[in-house]
Amino acid sequence: MLLLGKKHTNVLTVALLLAALSVFLAYVTRLNCVTHDLYHAMALARYTLETGSFPQNDVFAFTPTMQPTVHHEWGFGLIAYLTTGNSWGAALLMSLKFLLIATMFLCAYRVCRQRGGDPAFFALGVVLILPFFWVGFATIRAQLFTLTAISIQLVMMEADWRGKRGWVAVWLLLLGIWLNVHAGFVIGAGLMAFHGLERILSLWCQYRSLKGVWRGTWHLLVAAPFAVGLLFANPYGTEYVTYLLHGLTMPRPLIAEWAPLWETYEPLQTMLAFAVSVALIGYSIKNRQWSRLRGVVFLVLCALMAVKHIRHGSIYGLIWLAYVPAWLSCTPLADRLRNLLTRKQELLPQFSVGIMAICLGFALWHPFWKAYLPVTAANERGNYPLGAVEYLQRNNFTGKLITDFDAGAYVTWELFPHVLVSLDGRYEAAFQPGVLEEHLELLDAKPKWGKWLDHWKADGILVPSGSKLGKVLAPLAGSQESHEFPGSAKRWKCTYSDPGTMIWVEEQSQLPSEISQELPADKIYNPS
């Protein structure tokens, strides 16, 4: 259903859609800094291509690692490395990101329209879900591939409801690629399982016979064992399944994106938008027949997942966008909203153009097409120790370097094989239980924190100035003397310092001293 068949309706619809997409672009403009996950994935791809062998155990870290080390995002790293490992890499990286986003939106829009959704409500829905939708759009994470794959699967499921069968072969191919790119394929498999159950229930209610159910779902039942078999179509074989069982059930209280939704960066705005989205699901259930609410059970489960974990907000938001605007389009609330928009249809296109101008201006002012590496500032985390890494490169440092969760992957990318790291963002996929906790004890300057330097036989430590340990060591950084660390039998000296990062090495190291009072400049992404 369109807004109304009156003058300016098409103009209003297009204006609202473009305004909504402009708001989305402005909202995610702040996410064009490169995420550290990209680097450990690409490092594995580079190592594999250069050596001609795929490592089953970790080669990048010197702390205790899993045996084998199942890097479930290895396919993502290969795609990213092949895409960006050239002179056009930075432009191609952002092109890949926006191609995936465009595919996701087009698929969600198609599902919404196929279900009778009003384009105007789809546009309004985009704006509503942004506060909890943004998590998957960093530059660039494997989760974005999962969001795109889910959107494609939603289109396939709609085709199934219309009696088409050929999509099953394409879905199996998609699943085989997906599970080698990101473990989020489990969401897609679960979505397909719920779809199959809905189809069975719907056909049973229609025919009341097993023969009728079989005629309508035989392709799904035949595809199921092939989908299970695809679990083993990966470089790790059965070990991949073992990792999944562990990774999907383990708690992650120390990882921010696995925290509850109300602990996100803008909790009030996020929870308000989330509450409205859930209320609209409830309103749809009250005012629509159950036969018109295909997918509602899985959507409710996604809502619960989003409440429990910030990172699942984008998955819930995507499925909500594909389904709920269509459900609302044939309700009394939709009629009232449609009448309101119609009364304002002379003004709304102008208002939408104004919104587009502001949002596009914001996106251009903060160049959304450029991927960059933000330098680490003393009060921030998750950015890059650019000056420290360049210093280590320039002075040909080799050895074991203690790194934090955020910096380790970039250090590996720039300094491997001469430097091994103690930690990076792979967490449970690579490091044994307790390694992260030991790093937190060190970086929080707990009593006898220096024992970990000796325990790991480290040659140096990269210290973020914003950490508690950084604040403890900051008064000593300008000194040319060596110092004792509590719990360590060795003496250590600071050879590099800027306002965001320090490097401390063993006393006998020949590294020159370099103390700077200024942060290095941010760096435009250049993987080559």
Side-chain angles (χ1 to χ4, degrees):
M1 180 183 292
L2 296 174
L3 272 169
L4 281 175
K6 294 183 178 181
K7 183 180 179 181
H8 305 313
T9 294
N10 290 336
V11 173
L12 175 58
T13 299
V14 172
L16 287 174
L17 286 171
L18 291 177
L21 293 177
S22 299
V23 172
F24 170 81
L25 179 62
Y27 204 91
V28 301
T29 290
R30 59 182 178 170
L31 302 177
N32 61 343
C33 54
V34 177
T35 177
H36 61 88
D37 288 334
L38 183 70
Y39 282 109
H40 61 65
M42 289 202 306
L44 178 63
R46 181 180 62 185
Y47 178 89
T48 300
L49 294 175
E50 288 180 351
T51 64
S53 63
F54 193 93
Q56 294 294 305
N57 296 321
D58 180 71
V59 296
F60 303 122
F62 62 87
T63 47
T65 54
M66 303 296 291
Q67 307 290 331
T69 301
V70 178
H71 198 311
H72 67 274
E73 297 180 3
W74 77 269
F76 161 65
L78 182 62
I79 293 171
Y81 183 70
L82 294 177
T83 301
T84 67
N86 53 71
S87 58
W88 291 89
L92 290 176
L93 178 72
M94 296 305 289
S95 298
L96 175 62
K97 174 181 177 177
F98 284 107
L99 174 63
L100 293 172
I101 290 174
T103 301
M104 183 200 69
F105 270 113
L106 287 173
C107 288
Y109 181 75
R110 179 176 178 178
V111 171
C112 179
R113 295 290 290 123
Q114 286 181 327
R115 290 185 168 215
D118 192 317
F121 296 160
F122 181 89
L124 296 175
V126 171
V127 178
L128 171 64
I129 65 175
L130 276 179
F132 56 84
F133 188 44
W134 61 270
V135 181
F137 300 101
T139 305
I140 181 171
R141 299 186 63 185
Q143 189 177 359
L144 183 54
F145 285 85
T146 280
L147 291 173
T148 305
I150 288 174
S151 70
I152 295 172
Q153 183 173 307
L154 292 174
V155 172
M156 294 177 178
M157 288 159 48
E158 287 305 301
D160 191 47
W161 283 104
R162 286 166 170 75
K164 298 180 180 179
R165 302 291 183 265
W167 62 269
V168 171
V170 180
W171 178 72
L172 288 173
L173 176 61
L174 174 68
L175 184 66
I177 298 172
W178 191 356
L179 66 86
N180 284 287
V181 171
H182 188 227
F185 82 91
V186 173
I187 301 295
L191 178 59
M192 188 59 71
F194 270 84
H195 169 73
L197 291 174
E198 279 190 307
R199 291 285 287 141
I200 291 171
L201 181 60
S202 175
L203 289 168
W204 177 258
C205 292
Q206 182 178 355
Y207 296 109
R208 297 290 178 175
S209 72
L210 293 177
K211 185 177 180 181
V213 172
W214 170 255
R215 280 202 306 264
T217 61
W218 66 266
H219 57 295
L220 299 176
L221 298 174
V222 169
F226 287 98
V228 174
L230 283 173
L231 283 173
F232 305 95
N234 66 83
Y236 305 100
T238 58
E239 294 291 348
Y240 183 78
V241 179
T242 302
Y243 161 75
L244 280 178
L245 293 175
H246 168 67
L248 293 173
T249 56
M250 69 172 291
R252 295 176 175 86
L254 300 176
I255 307 300
E257 66 181 4
W258 287 93
L261 189 63
W262 57 83
E263 293 185 16
T264 190
Y265 300 107
E266 298 171 342
L268 180 61
Q269 178 186 7
T270 299
M271 293 310 296
L272 178 60
F274 182 80
V276 172
S277 74
V278 172
L280 291 174
I281 295 175
Y283 180 82
S284 300
I285 293 173
K286 180 180 178 181
N287 288 274
R288 299 294 302 270
Q289 296 178 351
W290 277 99
S291 61
R292 300 287 185 179
L293 295 172
R294 298 193 302 264
V296 67
V297 175
F298 191 80
L299 181 59
V300 171
L301 289 177
C302 287
L304 295 174
M305 290 167 54
V307 170
K308 191 174 180 180
H309 302 303
I310 294 170
R311 66 175 286 126
H312 292 140
S314 57
I315 296 173
Y316 165 67
L318 170 61
I319 300 176
W320 188 98
L321 188 62
Y323 288 170
V324 178
W327 295 341
L328 292 172
S329 293
C330 294
T331 63
L333 175 64
D335 292 336
R336 290 193 291 271
L337 182 58
R338 197 174 286 115
N339 290 334
L340 175 63
L341 293 176
T342 301
R343 291 197 301 270
K344 303 295 183 180
Q345 65 178 339
E346 297 289 343
L347 180 63
L348 281 176
Q350 302 174 23
F351 177 76
S352 298
V353 170
I355 294 294
M356 280 187 281
I358 294 172
C359 292
L360 291 177
F362 180 85
L364 291 171
W365 184 258
H366 302 83
F368 67 90
W369 64 93
K370 288 185 178 180
Y372 75 100
L373 280 60
V375 70
T376 299
N379 61 342
E380 298 177 358
R381 56 156 294 187
N383 296 337
Y384 291 88
L386 302 181
V389 169
E390 193 277 332
Y391 164 83
L392 293 172
Q393 285 177 320
R394 188 171 63 249
N395 291 284
N396 300 313
F397 174 80
T398 61
K400 300 176 180 178
L401 185 67
I402 294 178
T403 51
D404 65 357
F405 185 88
D406 299 305
Y410 179 67
V411 172
T412 291
W413 175 256
E414 294 290 343
L415 302 180
F416 182 82
H418 304 294
V419 175
L420 299 180
V421 300
S422 62
L423 183 69
D424 58 41
R426 291 173 296 166
Y427 190 34
E428 88 290 343
F431 298 94
Q432 292 186 11
V435 172
L436 175 59
E437 289 78 4
E438 292 165 357
H439 278 76
L440 294 177
E441 183 177 335
L442 171 65
L443 293 172
D444 285 342
K446 298 296 184 180
K448 297 193 178 298
W449 55 266
K451 67 181 179 182
W452 295 113
L453 284 76
D454 294 4
H455 177 74
W456 293 323
K457 298 180 174 60
D459 299 302
I461 177 171
L462 190 71
V463 183
S465 298
S467 65
K468 292 181 180 179
L469 179 59
K471 295 174 182 177
V472 168
L473 296 179
L476 309 176
S479 170
Q480 300 296 317
E481 300 177 356
S482 61
H483 301 271
E484 293 182 351
F485 289 165
S488 174
K490 303 175 183 178
R491 295 182 65 87
W492 302 82
K493 63 180 180 180
C494 180
T495 58
Y496 176 87
S497 176
D498 66 36
T501 312
M502 290 177 284
I503 296 174
W504 289 78
V505 297
E506 290 189 67
E507 181 181 28
Q508 64 269 27
S509 172
Q510 300 302 310
L511 286 177
S513 178
E514 184 174 317
I515 308 299
S516 174
Q517 302 302 319
E518 295 183 2
L519 279 172
D522 292 344
K523 180 181 178 181
I524 298 299
Y525 174 72
N526 181 15
S528 58

